[in-house]
Amino acid sequence: MSLEAMVEDTAHLLDVWVTGWAGCRGYETGKEGRFPAALRADTTHEWVYFAHDPSESEFAELAAKTAEVPSRVLTILTNEVARYVSLAQKHRLNVTSASQTMMILDMETQDSEDPWLSDESLNLVTSIANGVHHAIVQAADELAASGQLFVADHTAVFDKIVTEPKYQRRGLGSFIMKALAAQAFEHDVEAGLLLASLDGQQLYSHLGWSTVCHVLMLSASDEGSDLSVG
């Protein structure tokens, strides 16, 4: 399937991303109606519900389910942010994040070889466990940068791309992305997929990623961290 065709089917991309994101983190997945859901067993111990451009009646049902428990989250993928912000207010849900985007990449544009670290004080360590690929950059015994990846439906889902504050502005975010992409080619992959925080969007755009849509997180509480890193 071409990248253009994949982007046109955002609902399917969402299903793939949830599978990959949950796979990276070992989360149980399920359904709320026709929409995917994941149980965040390591943080809130509650469900996150996901939907792409739900109808008003579907939104109302999801909002009611979300509001049952303050730590539940409803995540909407859309390019009509104002519409769903208004619906959230109507159903007494708070916007806890509106800065993330879903982004996609044609994996044919990526290098299948491990990248090279020019700084001899740094060391790349890669591994795989339970289907999750990990890449970390270490400086002696100190963690400098890290990320993880899970392949679902010929799609490499990238997650938790983090550079520690002390090591930022040294290109390590790009390096981790390239190291994970090289690992992804152990599988038959066609596309890359991720949720990008506001800080990450410029980096990923520079690496060739394109924005699919905006990501809106809603909750009955005021708490909530971006799904890309938290």
Side-chain angles (χ1 to χ4, degrees), residues 34-102:
R34 69 182 181 92
F35 299 108
L39 182 63
R40 301 189 73 184
D42 60 340
T43 54
T44 64
H45 307 285
E46 267 300 338
W47 289 95
V48 183
Y49 306 115
F50 301 90
H52 169 248
D53 282 344
S55 67
E56 288 197 26
S57 60
E58 288 173 330
F59 184 94
E61 291 178 4
L62 289 168
K65 192 72 175 178
T66 302
E68 289 177 359
V69 181
S71 53
R72 286 182 183 169
V73 174
L74 174 56
T75 300
I76 302 294
L77 272 67
T78 186
N79 283 318
E80 297 182 70
V81 172
R83 177 191 179 199
Y84 289 101
V85 168
S86 177
L87 284 173
Q89 293 170 345
K90 177 181 177 181
H91 293 279
R92 298 184 179 180
L93 291 182
N94 300 310
V95 177
T96 61
S97 174
S99 61
Q100 297 171 96
T101 58
M102 174 176 277

Side-chain angles (χ1 to χ4, degrees), residues 116-194:
W116 176 66
L117 271 171
S118 58
D119 188 336
E120 295 183 356
S121 69
L122 301 176
N123 181 45
L124 171 66
V125 178
T126 61
S127 62
I128 181 171
N130 300 318
V132 184
H133 293 270
H134 299 272
I136 65 173
V137 174
Q138 292 178 314
D141 295 329
E142 191 172 52
L143 178 65
S146 59
Q148 56 192 22
L149 175 147
F150 189 92
V151 175
D153 193 20
H154 306 292
T155 303
V157 178
F158 293 71
D159 182 46
K160 282 191 175 181
I161 311 302
V162 177
T163 302
E164 301 303 319
K166 180 179 176 181
Y167 294 94
Q168 291 176 356
R169 302 188 182 280
R170 295 172 62 174
L172 293 183
S174 297
F175 181 87
I176 286 291
M177 292 294 291
K178 293 174 182 177
L180 288 171
Q183 291 188 70
F185 283 109
E186 295 177 14
H187 308 266
D188 179 15
V189 292
E190 300 173 357
L193 201 61
L194 55 72

